[in-house]
Amino acid sequence: MDQRVDEKILDFINEVEKREAKKDICNGPVKIGERYYEFEESEFFDEKLKIYIPKDFTDMSLEARKLKYPSESRPEIIKCNEKGNICITLNIIDSPLNEENVGKLKDGMKVIIKKTNPANVFYEDGVLEVDSKNIGFFDFKSYAIDDSLYNIMFFLEFEGKTLMGTFSCLYSECQQWRECAFQVIKTIRIMKEDKGDEN
């Protein structure tokens, strides 16, 4: 009898540990590094795009934007933690894109980034199917003035144009963030315009 109780306790502990290990950003707070983050669904581009991001990420200040993204074509949406060293960006590029060409675009962008910064170290790349949309992605390590960064770039078709997103954090925190960052990408939903159906 005692053994059964012990097994139940062990099962319970194993379940908790499994849940911890299998972090699910859509289902309550998630421990990343030393703290817990709560993710919530946020809406962008006139509520046409929904994506889960950490609740306490805020819009990056204009001064910080200018420093971090010196070019005038900086992303339209930059959400970051309070230190500004973990960022999620979204940007619509006025360049036509359809579902079939997402993979080609991803390959082309990777080539450009390799040429611009030959020191970058590339890891995975591929095309995910999320909510019946193709999302091309690749992740890489880049070098900033005083540190190295971990980046994920992703691309999808949005109203016939190219939507480009990035996730970046310090390379030293990449192990803690990588899985959750990919989960963020997998929560992307594009709202179809339903005129007749309010359901």
Side-chain angles (χ1 to χ4, degrees):
M1 153 118 181
D2 286 356
Q3 195 182 354
R4 279 222 309 272
V5 173
D6 286 351
E7 280 172 7
K8 278 211 159 102
I9 291 169
L10 277 175
D11 284 349
F12 176 73
I13 292 168
N14 286 339
E15 264 315 298
V16 170
E17 283 176 349
K18 250 191 267 165
R19 239 199 343 263
E20 266 296 297
K22 207 179 80 205
K23 298 171 175 169
D24 179 359
I25 63 168
C26 302
N27 210 350
V30 168
K31 192 174 185 193
I32 301 174
E34 291 305 300
R35 58 159 289 197
Y36 281 87
Y37 286 85
E38 207 171 323
F39 287 73
E40 67 179 358
E41 192 170 53
S42 305
E43 298 175 333
F44 299 102
F45 306 118
D46 301 326
E47 301 176 13
K48 290 176 185 159
L49 181 140
K50 294 186 176 186
I51 181 172
Y52 275 78
I53 63 170
K55 222 175 187 167
D56 53 4
F57 274 30
T58 54
D59 289 316
M60 185 178 273
S61 72
L62 193 58
E63 299 73 56
R65 281 169 182 253
K66 286 181 175 168
L67 275 174
K68 197 168 168 81
Y69 304 91
S71 117
E72 278 309 305
S73 58
R74 62 183 68 93
E76 194 177 332
I77 291 161
I78 306 172
K79 294 283 186 184
C80 62
N81 64 339
E82 62 187 315
K83 283 190 197 158
N85 60 7
I86 302 168
C87 301
I88 293 169
T89 73
L90 296 168
N91 204 21
I92 295 172
I93 300 163
D94 201 2
S95 161
L97 180 63
N98 59 35
E99 291 293 334
E100 295 76 63
N101 292 333
V102 167
K104 264 191 219 148
L105 171 76
K106 177 257 305 170
D107 294 341
M109 286 301 287
K110 191 171 168 183
V111 167
I112 291 168
I113 287 176
K114 266 185 177 166
K115 276 188 181 153
T116 328
N117 295 298
N120 286 349
V121 181
F122 287 82
Y123 304 111
E124 269 189 77
D125 74 273
V127 177
L128 302 166
E129 193 180 311
V130 177
D131 197 33
S132 73
K133 287 199 77 64
N134 291 326
I135 300 183
F137 75 91
F138 53 85
D139 60 344
F140 61 99
K141 178 183 186 178
S142 64
Y143 297 89
I145 298 159
D146 49 357
D147 220 328
S148 44
L149 299 174
Y150 171 71
N151 311 273
I152 304 172
M153 290 187 97
F154 56 94
F155 313 90
L156 61 147
E157 176 276 330
F158 179 73
E159 299 190 332
K161 294 179 181 168
T162 302
L163 185 113
M164 183 173 112
T166 65
F167 166 84
S168 64
C169 67
L170 295 173
Y171 186 74
S172 56
E173 296 180 357
C174 136
Q175 290 308 81
Q176 300 159 14
W177 272 97
R178 187 177 190 274
E179 185 198 333
C180 290
F182 273 101
Q183 281 192 47
V184 164
I185 295 169
K186 289 174 185 169
T187 65
I188 291 176
R189 291 193 303 140
I190 305 294
M191 301 292 98
K192 316 265 187 301
E193 287 200 45
D194 271 354
K195 290 285 179 263
D197 188 16
E198 281 306 304
N199 241 346

